Every structure is written in C-alpha cells, then in structure tokens.
Amino acid sequence: MGRAFVFGDNIDTDVLAPGYLMKLPPAELARRCLEAVDPSFAKTVNPGDFVVAGRNFGMGSSREQAAVSLRELGVKAVLAPSFARIFFRNAINLGLPALVFEGRGTVAAGDELNLDLASGRLTNQTRGETYQLKPLPPNLMAIIEAGGLMPMLKRRFAASRPPGASG
Amino acid sequence: MKVDLAMAHDSSGPRRWRPRLEELGVGLWDPSRVVIVSDHYVPAVDAASAAILKETRDFVRDYRVGRFFDMRGISHVVMPEHGLLKPGMLVAGGDSHSPNGGAFGCFIQGFGATDMTAIAATGETWLDVPETIRLDWDGAFADGVSAKDVMLFLCREIGVENGGRVIEFGGSTVAAMSMAERMTLCNMCAELGADTGIIAPDRSTLEHIRAHGGEVGDEALVVWRSDENAFSAREAFLSAALAPQVAAPHSPANSSEVGDFKGRRVDQVYVGACVGAKHDDLAMAARILKGRKVAPDVRLLVAPASATTTEQAAKSGVLATLAEAGAVFLPSGCGACAGMGHGLLAEGEVCISTTNRNFRGRMGHKDSGVYLASPYTAAAAAVAGEIVDPRDFL
C-alpha cells in the first residue's frame, strides 16, 4: 500500500529531471524531481507511493533520468490516462510500471492505494473504491517481471552462450 | 524490427551504454551502423562535463564506433550534413528530436538510454505500428513566415498529445521548401507528441543526400511513398493565411499569432538549437538584423547548429551581419535549449527563442519564461526589445 501524489496534465521531462542538474548522480537528481511543480514531493514521497497524474505524462525529452528519478524515489507505479511514448518505454525498461488510469479525478493527494500489477486491480483504501485498469501487455509485463530490460537481456545473452563460455 | 542506423549523444549514449554493455558482456552489434555525436556538454565547462566528453571519446575508441562527431554540432543537423539519413531507413536516435531526420524520408524515432543500449547490443527493437496523419500545406507563405510558424500553429491546432501517430507533411509549400525547412517541420513533431514526422523523398531530398556524400538511387522516389489510402486522417492548410506564431511559457501549445503578444518585453533573444540555428535560420535572422542594432538592454545570443553551419554563415556573410547587429556567439551544441552550457536565464527573466521547447525551467530558473518563435520573429524582438511582428521589418 502507498499514498497517492497527484499531478496535472502534461507533466514534462524537464520538471521530472531538470537539464541543468543532469550531471548529478541519480540519487541526488531524484531529490529535485518535480520541484518546479511541487517542492515537497521528493522530500515526502516514500518507497511504495504512487504518482497519479493527468494526460500525456512525461512529455518532452528522451532523458531516461525522468523515469530513473521516480524509480530512485521508490515510486511503485505511475498512473495516468496517457503517457508520452519515450517516457513510457523508459519507465517499463527500468522496471517502473506505468499504467493507464482514467480516474485521477476520484483520487485525492494522500489517499492510500493498493495495486495488483498482474490483474490491474487498483484499490483506493481511503475511499473504499476499486478500479479495473488494463494490465500491461504480456511482452511489457515480462520486462517488468525481469526487473527491467537490462536484466532481461542479460538472461537472454547468458542463455545464448555455449556452456562453459565466460563473459 | 531491425534497425539500419543507431545514433546516440554524449548525454544519453556512451556514459549510459558502457556499464550496461559490460554487464551484458557484449559489444556493439555493428559498429559501422553506430553514430556518436558529442553535442550536449560541449565544450566542457567544468570537470564533470569534461569527464563525460572524455568517456564518450574513450567509448568510441574502445568499441570502434563507425562514425563519431566530436563537438561538430547538434546530432540532428550533423547527420544529414554527412548524408547518413536516407529514404526507407529505420533509424533509432537517442534523443527526442530525432524525428528531425524524417525530412529525408526515413522512419526515425527517439529512444531513451536503455532502449538505445539494447539496440546497440542487438540491432533490434520493438515498435507499435502507428497510424499516419497527412497534413498538406499549399501555396506560398507571406514574407516573414516560415516552417517554424507552421509547427507552433500545429502545436495549438492538433495539440501535443499525438502518440501512436506519424505526421506526414505534403503539399506544394513543402515541395518548395529547402531541406532545412523540412527538418524544422519534422523536428517539432516531437512537440506534437507524435511517434515521428516524415516527408516523402523528392528531387530535393536526393540532391541533398548526394551533395553530402550519401548514395541513393532514383527508385527511392517511387518506392518510398505512402499509399493513397494509408492515412487515418488528412487535413489541408493554406500557407498564405498563416501569420507569424509565438508560443508563450510554458508550453509549445500556448501559441497564438504574434500580434497577440505585441509589446511583451524580452531580456534575451536566443537563436540556437537543432530546430532554430541551421544556416537557413541564421539567414532569416540576418535579413531582419541587416543594418540594425540589438536594443541596448537586450542580449542576442547565437549558437549555430553546427560547425559546418558556422562555416557556411561565414562564407555567406550572415555571420558578419549578425555580429554587426551585436550578436554574441556561442558554441555549436544543444546549449541553453537543453538547460546546459551558456545563456541560461535568471528568475523572472524573459527570453524569446528559436528553440522547440519552453517547458518550465528548461532554460534556467523555474520562474523564467521562454517564448518560442521563428528566427524572423526572434530577430525582430532583438531590435525592438519586445515582441513585434517581423513582417514590419522586411
């Protein structure tokens, strides 16, 4: 279970990971995540919490740090009616679930949420409401379950090597 | 899907690739199909950016990368300068403005660093097959109106959420455009949120590729065309009716005709970025600035998109015109547009910029503001010290 942090439409990559801070190591960059729209977010979010946002979440840059920062902060999943294409792929590739959720209006900041990723069942414990989200398709679910695209590829390359080969 | 070419830059490329490739225990799938461009942290301003650039050079050497452009300009402009983008190619670019290359009739998309690492290691990726929307622009622009105005108009008209769609441009206006202007159209398909932008190749496309060292056969003109029934939607616009456009902070979709912003004071004018500092763009600014001076309390910063652009502008006289008007020149690279390098903004400052994004805090302080405009409109603001209609200066 985690709390909801609620944001509006068109949250862009530059407020998720400001360009002028991109030389910082991931953990430090994460502490500045979304500060331009909510200075308290990175200070108060806890592992397991949720980002519930409006349309077109993650629009803009290809910078993976936008998704890295949310993962560093321990965000359990990003829920929004739609995602920008590159952000969505980045999130999945890093093992950060991003699910389509139309019901932002029914969720208030601080509501306690519970998500069953495999079934797409989202429960708002605070309001006693349940939503059925569309689960990720099997190919993307496989990436999430592997912990991201790199762990998945690592297994694939390891499997393709002849027994006894190093590397 | 098999990728024909993979491009990454110093920010999202080697420094992210090396540790992951080492962990996977593999090299590049085909070094000859990999292009690395150092354009974000150039030239180094501190030890951290110097280390990133060194890491990039070391990677290129160790992994025998086929093409490397070190501080030669912005990737999207440098690749066509070397004839690397051709009709029918599937290109993966480690940068969101990769759709820029769709001007050459290739399918080119932006990807993040993990996707790009996987592509670098395997030469493959997955794609959702997008629908295609065809936008035809017909007739001639009024003098002082350009491709940038089309895109700022479209950001408002069709919005910034076009995921799952490719935008194909056509019509007589596009047919008459230079390749640089076509790049401007495709570049800002990133702002439309589209999967990419594309323009079917014509004679101009092939001539440009051949003039820049690329080989391409005439059959590309026949092969790489959309079927007539390929479009999920089709819209036509009259170019003559388009006025210069300006997008107010903090979204490219906050656009309107220039007249709606008349009199808005500016502290800085930035002519830079892949979308706004090619030779055509600098020449537009120079047409306005010829024989005029930058207003006393305004700074005009010009960052040519590539080293080749600077060379062209030196030969054409554009550089001299800009310098005489009072421009300050910055290195070729992503620079202030990406919140890096020189030319960032203080709290409360206002910039009018030929770049493509004006998200909050992108060019500096979170309480600075960026207005997006064409080179004509930006240059006119430099002279007036406020936003004005560039058509009054031609």
Side-chain angles (χ1 to χ4, degrees):
Chain A
M1 203 159 66
R3 289 170 305 157
F5 285 77
V6 180
F7 296 92
D9 292 339
N10 295 315
I11 292 292
D12 64 68
T13 51
D14 293 60
V15 295
L16 287 160
Y20 70 96
L21 297 172
M22 293 238 299
K23 281 178 287 188
L24 293 177
E28 285 177 49
L29 183 58
R31 286 202 286 272
R32 314 289 292 274
C33 182
L34 290 166
E35 71 176 8
V37 289
D38 179 2
S40 70
F41 168 71
K43 295 186 182 78
T44 52
V45 69
N46 286 320
D49 287 343
F50 292 83
V51 167
V52 180
R55 302 198 67 80
N56 204 23
F57 187 87
M59 76 164 178
S61 162
S62 66
R63 63 186 66 163
E64 200 162 61
Q65 290 90 334
V68 171
S69 289
L70 295 174
R71 192 187 63 175
E72 283 286 326
L73 294 168
V75 169
K76 161 108 175 167
V78 185
L79 310 174
S82 61
F83 296 91
R85 178 185 145 271
I86 304 179
F87 174 86
F88 179 78
R89 292 181 68 121
N90 287 344
I92 300 296
N93 287 341
L94 292 163
L96 172 68
L99 274 79
V100 172
F101 174 52
E102 300 284 353
R104 178 188 51 145
T106 67
V107 177
D111 282 3
E112 296 279 351
L113 305 180
N114 204 5
L115 173 69
D116 181 58
L117 199 55
S119 67
R121 197 177 165 83
L122 178 73
T123 312
N124 187 333
Q125 312 272 13
T126 308
R127 292 172 200 276
E129 289 170 0
T130 300
Y131 313 88
Q132 184 56 48
L133 279 52
K134 197 176 165 197
L136 291 169
N139 61 326
L140 301 188
M141 199 63 198
I143 298 176
I144 295 285
E145 281 167 359
L149 183 58
M150 279 303 125
M152 180 186 244
L153 270 185
K154 196 174 174 183
R155 246 180 269 163
R156 194 175 119 191
F157 278 116
S160 67
R161 282 193 193 94
S166 63
Chain B
M1 299 282 298
K2 293 221 179 290
V3 169
D4 295 304
L5 192 72
M7 185 287 294
H9 51 61
D10 50 325
S11 184
S12 72
R15 68 179 174 140
R16 311 283 178 218
W17 288 10
R18 187 194 279 268
R20 290 165 166 149
L21 290 174
E22 285 176 355
E23 209 190 325
L24 295 176
V26 297
L28 300 174
W29 107 96
D30 183 350
S32 72
R33 291 177 183 271
V34 175
V35 182
I36 300 288
V37 183
S38 283
D39 58 10
H40 274 63
Y41 291 104
V42 296
V45 293
D46 55 17
S49 48
I52 291 169
L53 293 173
K54 180 172 185 302
E55 212 176 330
T56 307
R57 292 181 195 110
D58 290 349
F59 180 93
V60 165
R61 184 196 60 222
D62 295 347
Y63 286 79
R64 299 188 170 80
V65 170
R67 306 297 295 254
F68 178 42
F69 302 100
D70 193 1
M71 303 198 292
R72 299 298 299 167
I74 306 171
S75 65
H76 312 302
V77 175
V78 169
M79 284 199 290
E81 285 175 354
H82 295 269
L84 299 181
L85 302 176
K86 299 175 203 175
M89 288 173 85
L90 176 63
V91 185
D95 189 275
S96 61
H97 285 109
S98 296
N100 183 85
F104 295 87
C106 54
F107 186 90
I108 177 168
Q109 287 194 306
F111 293 90
T114 298
D115 260 335
M116 285 308 301
T117 312
I119 291 165
T122 66
E124 294 174 6
T125 192
W126 63 271
L127 302 175
D128 282 325
V129 176
E131 57 183 275
T132 304
I133 296 200
R134 167 87 175 206
L135 303 180
D136 286 308
W137 286 80
D138 287 298
F141 291 131
D143 197 16
V145 175
S146 66
K148 180 65 175 288
D149 299 304
V150 168
M151 295 314 294
L152 293 174
F153 167 83
L154 288 177
C155 284
R156 167 176 88 246
E157 196 66 18
I158 70 169
V160 294
E161 195 190 338
N162 288 283
R165 295 177 184 148
V166 168
I167 311 293
E168 179 176 329
F169 295 97
S172 64
T173 312
V174 177
M177 274 182 184
S178 67
M179 291 310 294
E181 283 284 89
R182 295 182 193 185
M183 284 191 251
T184 298
L185 295 181
C186 291
N187 181 294
M188 283 191 64
C189 286
E191 278 54 58
L192 298 176
D195 281 18
T196 191
I198 200 162
I199 297 171
D202 62 10
R203 283 276 151 210
S204 305
T205 321
L206 302 194
E207 279 166 24
H208 190 282
I209 294 168
R210 288 167 184 159
H212 293 81
E215 285 176 21
V216 59
D218 282 354
E219 72 281 359
L221 300 177
V222 185
V223 177
W224 300 111
R225 315 201 67 79
S226 290
D227 299 332
E228 274 306 307
N229 60 358
F231 309 117
S232 58
R234 192 163 187 154
E235 259 192 276
F237 301 91
L238 288 178
S239 298
L242 186 68
Q245 306 285 311
V246 171
H250 299 284
S251 167
N254 277 346
S255 70
S256 190
E257 295 191 0
V258 64
D260 294 334
F261 301 103
K262 193 171 163 51
R264 206 70 56 94
R265 300 282 308 162
V266 299
D267 301 293
Q268 176 171 305
V269 178
Y270 186 72
V271 177
C274 46
V275 76
K278 303 176 292 295
H279 186 266
D280 280 29
D281 302 309
L282 303 190
M284 288 181 221
R287 266 190 74 201
I288 299 277
L289 289 163
K290 181 128 190 111
R292 297 191 171 103
K293 293 283 182 198
V294 173
D297 49 355
V298 173
R299 47 191 194 262
L300 169 61
L301 307 181
V302 179
S306 71
T308 302
T309 302
T310 306
E311 189 185 327
Q312 289 168 337
K315 286 178 181 157
S316 69
V318 159
L319 222 47
T321 302
L322 298 175
E324 281 162 19
V328 173
F329 291 95
L330 299 179
S332 294
C334 304
C337 176
M340 296 159 168
H342 307 277
L344 299 186
L345 302 167
E347 181 175 2
E349 284 193 324
V350 172
C351 177
I352 187 167
S353 177
T354 66
T355 57
N356 37 30
R357 279 189 190 134
N358 57 350
F359 301 155
R360 182 180 282 280
R362 181 166 168 91
M363 282 182 69
H365 195 277
K366 68 181 173 64
D367 295 318
S368 59
V370 176
Y371 289 82
L372 303 176
S374 75
Y376 286 126
T377 307
V383 173
E386 59 188 40
I387 296 176
V388 288
D389 193 326
R391 292 172 295 188
D392 299 336
F393 289 70
L394 290 166

